[in-house]
Amino acid sequence: MKKHNFYAGPSILSQYTIKNTADAILNFADTGLSVLEVSHRSKEFQAVMDEAQALVKELLEVPEGYSVLFLGGGASMQFCMVPYNLLNRKAAYLETGTWAANAIKEARLFGEVDVVASSRDANFTYIPKGYVIPSDADYFHFTTNNTIYGTEMRYDPESPVRLVADMSSDIFSRPVDVSKYDVIYAGAQKNLAPAGVTIVIVRDDALGHVDRAIPTMLDYRTHVKKGSMFNTPPVLPIFSALQTLRYYKELGGVKVLEKMDLDKAARLYDAIDSSRMFEGTVTDPADRSIMNVCFVMTAEYKALEKEFIDFAGERGIVGIKGHRSVGGFRASLYNALPMESVEVLIQAMKDFEAKH
Ligand SMILES: *Cc1c(COP(=O)(O)O)cnc(C)c1O
């Protein structure tokens, strides 16, 4: 049976990415060797790294003066690398979910943290507005898409200080004005590649302004200087990331991806809003994520949630169980998910509703 993959991460990848990765595991770039067993310093792998960096720059229109890094350690490693490299005295953070809170916890190890606003009071179901970013902060950090709670900031906020964003779960789903940012980072396993690599886009002249000593591996300058080859990079996820980047370019770039993503999300939110059995957990449409759609059953039907997951499973729908801190359902609609899968989910919701 055809599967419809709504997992939040690791998550669906294009067939192009999976097929080319499988091929390269058997024979990489006509070397007669697997990509798993080739030196990262071989000319064949260097070409992969170079093209992957160039395509990130091309797709996101990264201006001069920025470096694109492919690092290990996950997005969670960036929660400490950012303050290690940028926080001298004080940083400002927006608390919009668990990942933002984890980033805040790490930053506190390095200096004062001003949490400018939080939506914790309503279990992170909205994006706080009207907060003030202090002009004496070293930077302002926010999470563009809150994977667990289904809220998203689909814009580049104005900031009087350096801007840092965790774009793990919505990078490549819209054009970004990179020139507004000093650091953008994204774990690859949501919208790009298998787990194991994190993309970091860093403004070169944002580095070197903190007083502390930084361990070599955690110093962005190490990886800028060595082109992400200071140590052995995660070669397989980088190879897969390159396939996805080629695929994104082939499709027409981030504007085209954005349109597809907006269409998919609009279809699903419409179905949820017009149903008597389901309701969205994020009520303000402006705050709703187009990547992770969170919804629950209304009070009257609450007891049927488990049954719906089984019902949907019989139609090949996987990964729609909501995160334990929200409950209900979460349908992740990353770039590689086709509209067809959204239609299958909507039909399952309708048929289940008719049945009860
Ligand atoms: C998944 C996720 C993370 C954590 O990524 P790891 O690679 O597991 O460390 C951080 N931030 C956001 C927004 C995420 O979705």
Side-chain angles (χ1 to χ4, degrees):
M1 191 200 331
K2 180 167 165 44
K3 296 285 178 170
H4 302 281
N5 181 359
F6 290 92
Y7 277 120
S11 42
I12 188 165
L13 293 170
S14 75
Q15 279 306 305
Y16 179 89
T17 301
I18 290 174
K19 167 104 183 27
N20 288 354
T21 302
D23 288 349
I25 285 175
L26 297 174
N27 181 8
F28 167 52
D30 278 328
T31 54
L33 297 170
S34 167
V35 67
L36 303 175
E37 58 181 356
V38 162
S39 169
H40 60 296
R41 307 216 183 265
S42 65
K43 69 174 189 325
E44 290 84 1
F45 187 76
Q46 186 64 55
V48 169
M49 179 66 97
D50 293 346
E51 189 184 342
Q53 287 173 356
L55 277 177
V56 171
K57 287 189 174 171
E58 184 180 334
L59 286 165
L60 294 178
E61 295 181 38
V62 177
E64 287 295 301
Y66 285 78
S67 297
V68 174
L69 311 177
F70 289 90
L71 305 181
S76 299
M77 180 71 96
Q78 297 309 309
F79 297 163
C80 90
M81 275 181 87
V82 165
Y84 231 136
N85 285 267
L86 299 184
L87 201 169
N88 242 333
R89 201 183 65 74
K90 178 169 108 174
Y93 277 69
L94 185 63
E95 191 186 45
T96 52
T98 303
W99 298 119
N102 288 0
I104 289 166
K105 176 165 174 275
E106 293 306 289
R108 287 201 166 113
L109 298 170
F110 298 89
E112 188 189 328
V113 174
D114 184 343
V115 178
V116 297
S118 173
S119 46
R120 187 183 285 279
D121 57 351
N123 200 29
F124 300 118
T125 49
Y126 70 99
I127 300 289
K129 315 275 172 355
Y131 50 85
V132 177
I133 302 167
S135 56
D136 62 343
D138 294 318
Y139 61 87
F140 170 62
H141 177 286
F142 76 111
T143 313
T144 50
N145 183 64
N146 298 285
T147 323
I148 295 174
Y149 302 92
T151 60
E152 188 174 19
M153 293 166 68
R154 302 191 58 74
Y155 49 89
D156 309 309
E158 290 304 325
S159 170
V161 297
R162 296 186 191 284
L163 190 57
V164 177
D166 175 357
M167 297 195 182
S168 290
S169 50
D170 68 352
I171 194 162
F172 302 117
S173 73
R174 67 172 172 98
V176 171
D177 182 356
V178 175
S179 70
K180 284 193 166 169
Y181 295 83
D182 286 79
V183 178
I184 290 170
Y185 61 90
Q189 71 273 24
K190 313 279 166 57
N191 222 2
L192 190 68
V197 68
T198 303
I199 292 188
V200 180
I201 303 169
V202 58
R203 185 196 298 264
D204 298 328
D205 69 14
L207 304 177
H209 303 301
V210 289
D211 304 326
R212 71 178 64 82
I214 306 174
T216 310
M217 273 296 284
L218 298 179
D219 189 333
Y220 287 127
R221 289 171 300 182
T222 302
H223 304 288
V224 169
K225 205 158 77 197
K226 298 288 185 180
S228 301
M229 291 276 203
F230 168 73
N231 69 319
T232 318
V235 290
L236 187 72
I238 294 170
F239 178 87
S240 294
L242 171 61
Q243 308 314 307
T244 305
L245 293 165
R246 284 179 177 167
Y247 178 68
Y248 287 172
K249 183 178 172 178
E250 187 67 35
L251 284 177
V254 285
K255 281 211 182 79
V256 173
L257 294 164
E258 177 180 46
K259 173 149 194 330
M260 288 162 44
D261 292 335
L262 284 167
D263 286 348
K264 287 183 285 178
R267 279 287 292 141
L268 184 52
Y269 281 119
D270 279 353
I272 293 166
D273 290 342
S274 60
S275 137
R276 68 183 153 82
M277 183 176 255
F278 299 93
E279 64 186 353
T281 55
V282 178
T283 44
D284 185 343
D287 293 347
R288 284 176 162 181
S289 169
I290 65 166
M291 296 275 102
N292 311 98
V293 176
C294 293
F295 56 108
V296 293
M297 276 181 178
T298 55
E300 192 184 340
Y301 297 101
K302 201 91 199 152
L304 296 174
E305 284 187 346
K306 165 90 185 52
E307 191 185 324
F308 178 66
I309 289 179
D310 296 338
F311 181 87
E314 284 164 19
R315 299 177 178 205
I317 293 166
V318 288
I320 57 162
K321 191 173 188 316
H323 189 275
R324 60 193 175 280
S325 48
V326 181
F329 315 101
R330 169 175 52 176
S332 296
L333 315 180
Y334 297 121
N335 291 350
L337 185 91
M339 179 64 100
E340 181 206 341
S341 293
V342 177
E343 300 292 356
V344 169
L345 174 60
I346 292 170
Q347 194 58 50
M349 291 162 67
K350 287 192 171 137
D351 292 346
F352 191 76
E353 198 170 309
K355 188 177 152 192
H356 292 276

